[in-house]
Amino acid sequence: MNHWAFVIAAYAVTFVGTAAVSWVSWRGMRRAEAEAERAGRA
Amino acid sequence: MKAKHQRLVLALVALAALVGAGLLAASALRDEAAYFYAPADVRAKGVEPGKAIRLGGMVVKGSLKRATDGVTLRFDVTDGKATVPAVFSGIAPDLFKEGSGVVAEGAFDAKGTFVATNLLAKHDERYMPRELEGMKYDEATHQLKVER
Amino acid sequence: MHRFANPSRFLKIARPLTGWLFWPGLVLLVAGALCGLLVTPADYLQGDTVRILYIHVPAAWLGMAGWSGIAVAAIVQLVWRHPLAAIAGRAVAAPGALFTAICLATGSIWGRPTWGTWWEWDGRMTSMLVLLFLYLGYIALANASPRDGQGGVSPVTAIFGLVGAINIPIINRSVVWWNSLHQGPSITMRGSSIDGSILWPLGFTLLGFSLWFGAIVLMRMRTILARNKVEARLQRLARG
């Protein structure tokens, strides 16, 4: 059994999750703060 | 007493009660939640032949023998207090070897041999590179060191 | 305690802190993962699969630390009625749940080549699965209760977070209390049974994932606070 296939699968799962959380959290924050900024000026 | 303090005391009492209840439940589950029987448990409690259980322990060094048919393995399982013989036909996991941990699923036959239908390898908490193989964890110094 | 109750005070610290935690955290965790993949030696018994350690352990840590954070936030929310604590509880839940799931997934992937099974109902795995269900229950409860304009979780959700915390010491002790397929603890208060040559990248990934997780929680808290601001503004407009 090739062990590297398992290692790469585990790292892939983790890094896809990490990247997804980073992206969704950052984008959500930028949008919400931009909207709050506009609401504050209006 | 201020309302804030009342809430604090209430929260702490609730938390303490909760932890107590949880620990009580966990200790009551001690036997039922065990994933496998160790050989000493088998000897102490007695397991009737034919009852499906898991048996876990170390494969005794020098006990592993492959039968002439090539697929049947005979080995002894020990937990340091008791030892039981086991037999298994099939493909064992890569990490199954003498001196290493095993969890076998199966049942005892009438003669007291554990007939395993499936083998799982259980490794211990030591991790080390190949050149250090054979080192043991020393409880006194908390270091890995060469076994003598 | 209430010094930070004012969102603008909190934001003054949270805004710069988000980047300071995020980028060093990301650099550390990527460096640790690369070292774990390319630099460290293979294990004498498991071979290269031991490298899953460097992400499996931080994922377990984030899942358990996340719920501990939820429990601490719940106490602060229930006792001191601190609105930011209620928001913190909501912010931690989703990433905490994801990393609990990642811990289970990487553990399963690790179990196949080493133990010879994807899944077994032993104490450690079962209690970790219970943690995932607790997270899902917490998220459902937080979303089911009405928004009060503060964006935090309801008191009932906070109580659920506190009650669920009992699972954390059970997960930690499961391999000691019960015979389990999962091995016992390698790193204890007294030392480590992982050789130094294999252990060191774990420090990088643990610290890296922790800093990164802090940044994610801050981002999600800032999102909730910004939405509150918009909502308050809309309400003022509707009234005026």
Side-chain angles (χ1 to χ4, degrees):
Chain A
M1 209 159 4
N2 182 7
H3 287 177
W4 278 103
F6 291 93
V7 175
I8 288 165
Y11 275 74
V13 165
T14 307
F15 280 94
V16 166
T18 306
V21 170
S22 300
W23 172 245
V24 168
S25 305
W26 184 79
R27 196 192 51 179
M29 181 186 79
R30 290 305 292 264
R31 279 189 182 170
E33 289 193 337
E35 212 175 313
E37 185 82 4
R38 276 199 302 278
R41 273 204 310 267
Chain B
M1 202 154 61
K2 280 199 290 186
K4 189 169 78 180
H5 292 137
Q6 267 178 353
R7 291 198 300 268
L8 180 60
V9 168
L10 204 65
L12 291 179
V13 168
L15 197 64
L18 200 71
V19 170
L23 294 183
L24 206 67
S27 78
L29 270 173
R30 190 160 267 213
D31 291 339
E32 281 70 20
Y35 174 72
F36 58 76
Y37 286 81
D41 301 332
V42 173
R43 195 166 65 180
K45 283 175 222 149
V47 177
E48 63 217 67
K51 188 189 171 198
I53 63 157
R54 294 194 192 89
L55 175 74
M58 301 288 270
V59 181
V60 177
K61 278 199 173 125
S63 73
L64 182 62
K65 286 178 188 71
R66 191 175 288 274
T68 45
D69 65 4
V71 293
T72 302
L73 300 168
R74 290 186 174 276
F75 53 95
D76 294 337
V77 178
T78 184
D79 59 357
K81 289 171 237 158
T83 303
V84 296
V87 60
F88 171 72
S89 291
I91 299 160
D94 293 353
L95 264 58
F96 173 79
K97 52 181 81 167
E98 289 184 347
S100 194
V102 67
V103 176
E105 297 173 335
F108 282 99
D109 68 8
K111 283 176 286 184
T113 299
F114 190 79
V115 182
T117 52
N118 189 27
L119 288 188
L120 300 173
K122 174 174 158 67
H123 63 84
D124 63 13
E125 62 280 2
R126 292 173 304 138
Y127 299 86
M128 63 195 100
R130 285 202 176 91
E131 55 266 34
L132 295 183
E133 181 170 356
M135 300 251 288
K136 289 274 185 253
Y137 183 61
D138 184 28
E139 287 289 336
T141 60
H142 311 296
Q143 300 284 323
L144 289 164
K145 65 176 200 182
V146 181
E147 195 182 19
R148 268 174 260 270
Chain C
M1 205 77 199
H2 280 274
R3 214 147 46 89
F4 297 106
N6 183 348
S8 63
R9 276 218 183 110
F10 167 77
L11 286 171
K12 214 169 171 180
I13 297 168
R15 282 214 181 93
L17 195 58
T18 309
W20 290 344
L21 291 178
F22 186 83
W23 294 110
L26 201 65
V27 167
L28 267 177
L29 77 86
V30 170
L34 286 176
C35 291
L37 281 174
L38 305 171
V39 179
T40 55
D43 183 62
Y44 78 105
L45 185 65
Q46 302 185 26
D48 287 311
T49 46
V50 75
R51 300 179 196 285
I52 297 173
L53 176 86
Y54 306 118
I55 50 169
H56 177 71
V57 173
W61 155 247
L62 291 187
M64 290 166 73
W67 196 281
S68 307
I70 283 177
V72 170
I75 292 178
V76 175
Q77 176 186 351
L78 294 171
V79 175
W80 287 280
R81 303 278 157 91
H82 201 301
L84 277 175
I87 292 170
R90 189 186 286 275
V92 169
L98 182 79
F99 275 84
T100 305
I102 286 177
C103 172
L104 289 166
T106 53
S108 177
I109 293 169
W110 197 357
R112 186 65 193 84
T114 48
W115 299 335
T117 180
W118 297 103
W119 182 263
E120 286 295 319
W121 293 100
D122 90 336
R124 174 56 65 80
M125 289 161 239
T126 308
S127 55
M128 203 63 190
L129 186 64
V130 167
L131 180 65
L132 179 62
F133 291 151
L134 285 174
Y135 268 117
L136 299 181
Y138 183 91
I139 292 167
L141 209 53
N143 291 338
S145 38
R147 276 178 69 94
D148 53 359
Q150 302 274 354
V153 298
S154 62
V156 172
T157 314
I159 290 169
F160 181 79
L162 200 54
V163 172
I166 185 59
N167 193 33
I168 298 300
I170 292 177
I171 295 173
N172 180 263
R173 295 284 90 192
S174 56
V175 292
V176 178
W177 286 343
W178 303 311
N179 288 339
S180 60
L181 183 59
H182 195 287
Q183 73 283 2
S186 294
I187 302 166
T188 61
M189 298 292 280
R190 298 167 308 157
S192 163
S193 58
I194 303 175
D195 185 67
S197 63
I198 288 183
L199 184 63
W200 63 270
L202 182 60
F204 282 57
T205 53
L206 268 175
L207 184 62
F209 271 109
S210 303
L211 297 178
W212 172 86
F213 194 80
I216 295 297
V217 170
L218 287 179
M219 284 184 199
R220 293 170 56 82
M221 288 180 74
R222 285 169 61 182
T223 307
I224 294 168
L225 288 172
R227 283 187 191 145
N228 288 351
K229 205 170 156 190
V230 173
E231 209 160 279
R233 174 85 192 164
L234 288 176
Q235 274 168 4
R236 272 204 302 282
L237 285 176
R239 271 203 304 274

